[in-house]
Amino acid sequence: TVQDSEAQAHWEDMVFVVRETGAERAFVMRNTDFIAHSLSPDGSQFAAFERLREELTVFDTATGELVQTLPDFRLGTYAFSADGRRILVNLPSGPVRVIDIATGRHIAELGEPGGVDEIGLPPDGRTIVTQGGKSFRGWDLATGAPLWSTQTRADYPSMSGDGRRFFERLSDEADIVVRETDTGANIASLPTKG
């Protein structure tokens, strides 16, 4: 399996290895500077922003072949859909772009005015959850249609990676409250000290 790292990296060449054995799977040599990256859930694809070319590139980790080049992108954060067929591009102060990797076609732009702070990727592979400001919204990944919306009173809520839950702590309350993202229903209250 190939695993992603949380580290930001700057490099010109990439070597994809099998984690368990250390054996080389593929080698990619490009005269560029890769920054900001993401690995597909199954480890079969790797996306990286090429700073010099200002484009997002997607590679096959088994062969090292370039799968797709998406030009005219700025540096942002990237995530693959659960099925690995789409890449989600979160640009600073803007919407999340949903792009079909096979065709390079923009499917939808999702988000809140002022941009998206977090993206949640439910395991169903059919939806995405965005959080911007005090709003959470569920979206149909295939069409870009909004499915639901929930508000929070907290200034800085945080969402689980799968988008199913968020937590908030209000300045006038001592507990951290865990809620369902799609309904806002209270799941638990976690006491805090101080």
Side-chain angles (χ1 to χ4, degrees):
T1 1
V2 179
Q3 280 201 302
D4 196 6
S5 155
E6 292 296 320
Q8 290 291 321
H10 299 269
W11 67 93
E12 294 180 359
D13 301 334
M14 292 184 285
V15 178
F16 298 110
V17 298
V18 178
R19 183 176 189 204
E20 292 80 12
T21 65
E24 184 176 311
R25 286 177 55 143
F27 178 78
V28 176
M29 188 170 93
R30 288 174 69 93
N31 186 21
T32 191
D33 187 10
F34 290 107
I35 54 179
H37 60 278
S38 182
L39 189 66
S40 65
D42 66 358
S44 67
Q45 296 182 93
F46 180 82
F49 179 75
E50 293 193 35
R51 187 174 55 92
L52 300 176
R53 293 183 175 105
E54 293 189 351
E55 60 190 18
L56 181 62
T57 52
V58 181
F59 295 91
D60 181 303
T61 60
T63 65
E65 290 181 25
L66 181 64
V67 174
Q68 188 60 263
T69 299
L70 305 167
D72 301 322
F73 276 93
R74 295 169 299 173
L75 180 61
T77 55
Y78 314 103
F80 284 87
S81 61
D83 62 8
R85 295 183 6 216
R86 295 177 181 89
I87 191 155
L88 311 170
V89 180
N90 188 11
L91 301 173
S93 301
V96 173
R97 292 183 186 171
V98 181
I99 300 168
D100 182 277
I101 293 173
T103 65
R105 185 176 67 87
H106 290 237
I107 296 170
E109 290 193 353
L110 317 173
E112 304 297 324
V116 172
D117 298 319
E118 289 186 273
I119 300 172
L121 299 168
D124 66 9
R126 297 184 311 263
T127 57
I128 174 179
V129 179
T130 59
Q131 181 266 316
K134 294 184 177 187
S135 178
F136 293 91
R137 192 175 307 268
W139 305 88
D140 183 296
L141 196 53
T143 66
L147 301 172
W148 50 262
S149 180
T150 303
Q151 298 293 313
T152 177
R153 297 179 309 162
D155 289 328
Y156 303 104
S158 189
M159 182 170 49
S160 63
D162 64 6
R164 292 178 31 212
R165 295 184 173 94
F166 71 93
F167 72 87
E168 61 186 1
R169 182 173 185 198
L170 304 174
S171 58
D172 60 342
E173 295 178 14
D175 294 348
I176 293 175
V177 179
V178 180
R179 300 186 185 279
E180 291 286 345
T181 307
D182 58 350
T183 65
N186 187 340
I187 297 170
S189 290
L190 309 171
T192 60
K193 293 182 181 182

